[in-house]
Structure formats: structure tokens, C-alpha cells
Amino acid sequence: MVVAPANEHDLSVLQSILPRLHGGPPCGPQGGLLVGDKIYQDGAVQRHLEQEQNLQLVTPVRPGRGRKVTLMEQVLSERVSRLRQPIEALFAWLQHKTGIDQASRVRSTKGLMVHLFGKLAAAFHLLKPNP
């Protein structure tokens, strides 16, 4: 688990945890798959993940200035979005049910961990069926 300040760029956080990511044994010819948002599009990061950690990074396509997205790029973006949707829905549910993002009174790393894991425990309790 990585906790970073809100003002730190997502790509910087990804670069800081690159050594901890790995695809493990190949899951077919491509190895592992890392699904991300458009913000993670970076050639150097993608090459490093593929060559050093056996991971393929897939993101929706971000068109350049004055360039339209091709039909194949649009299909890829839709497929990536379908993969990301359940994860985004889970995070939205966690935020709605527990207020996990409301940590403004937390003043230490230990306090933040207590806040996060307490909210996650509350979420798991909500999922428990009533007898």
C-alpha cells in the first residue's frame, strides 16, 4: 500500500513504486497486465515495466493535439474502461459508505493507517449478511 500526498503527481508515485511491481511468471506470452488511467502514459515507464518487470501497461488512448483517435484506439480505450469500471465502482462505494476520503483530521502516518484500515473494516462489516 502506498500513501502519497494529494499534491504529488500520480506518475511520480508510480515511478517510485516501480521496483515493487512485477508480472511474476509469464501469464501467457505477454506476462502480467497493469491497467491504468491516461495519466500513466509514459514511454519510459512502459518500456521499463515490459523489459524489467514482465508487465504490460494498458491505458486509454490520449489523443495528441490536433489528432483524432482512430477506431482501433477507441476500441482499446473502451476495453480498458471496462476493465477499470469495477475497480472505480468499488472505490466509489467505499467512499460513499464509509467516507474513507475524509481524513482531514489525521495528523500522522500511524493515524492515517488507523483511519484507512478502520474504514475498510467498517466496509467489510457492511458486506456481512445479517442473521
Side-chain angles (χ1 to χ4, degrees):
M1 176 183 221
V2 175
V3 179
N7 64 351
E8 191 166 346
H9 195 276
D10 289 350
L11 187 56
S12 300
V13 174
L14 175 62
Q15 290 169 332
S16 73
I17 65 167
L18 279 178
R20 292 192 262 168
L21 299 175
H22 59 86
C27 314
Q30 294 87 19
L33 189 66
L34 181 62
V35 180
D37 198 357
K38 292 177 187 178
I39 198 71
Y40 297 112
Q41 287 180 348
D42 182 80
V45 169
Q46 286 178 318
R47 280 189 299 279
H48 177 82
L49 286 169
E50 288 173 6
Q51 294 170 359
E52 303 295 326
Q53 279 140 303
N54 199 28
L55 280 169
Q56 181 182 4
L57 176 64
V58 292
T59 63
V61 176
R62 183 188 318 170
R65 288 190 179 160
R67 182 175 92 72
K68 293 189 177 194
V69 176
T70 67
L71 180 60
M72 290 302 290
E73 291 172 333
Q74 185 177 355
V75 169
L76 173 66
S77 293
E78 288 173 6
R79 298 237 173 180
V80 171
S81 294
R82 281 191 206 137
L83 287 171
R84 289 174 43 83
Q85 194 278 332
I87 297 163
E88 297 289 345
L90 171 66
F91 288 142
W93 179 84
L94 272 172
Q95 184 177 350
H96 175 73
K97 292 292 186 181
T98 67
I100 198 167
D101 60 329
Q102 302 297 316
S104 62
R105 293 193 174 132
V106 174
R107 298 290 176 240
S108 67
T109 302
K110 186 176 180 181
L112 180 60
M113 291 298 127
V114 168
H115 172 81
L116 290 174
F117 287 111
K119 296 293 185 172
L120 289 172
F124 282 121
H125 180 72
L126 289 172
L127 292 174
K128 183 179 154 190
N130 293 329

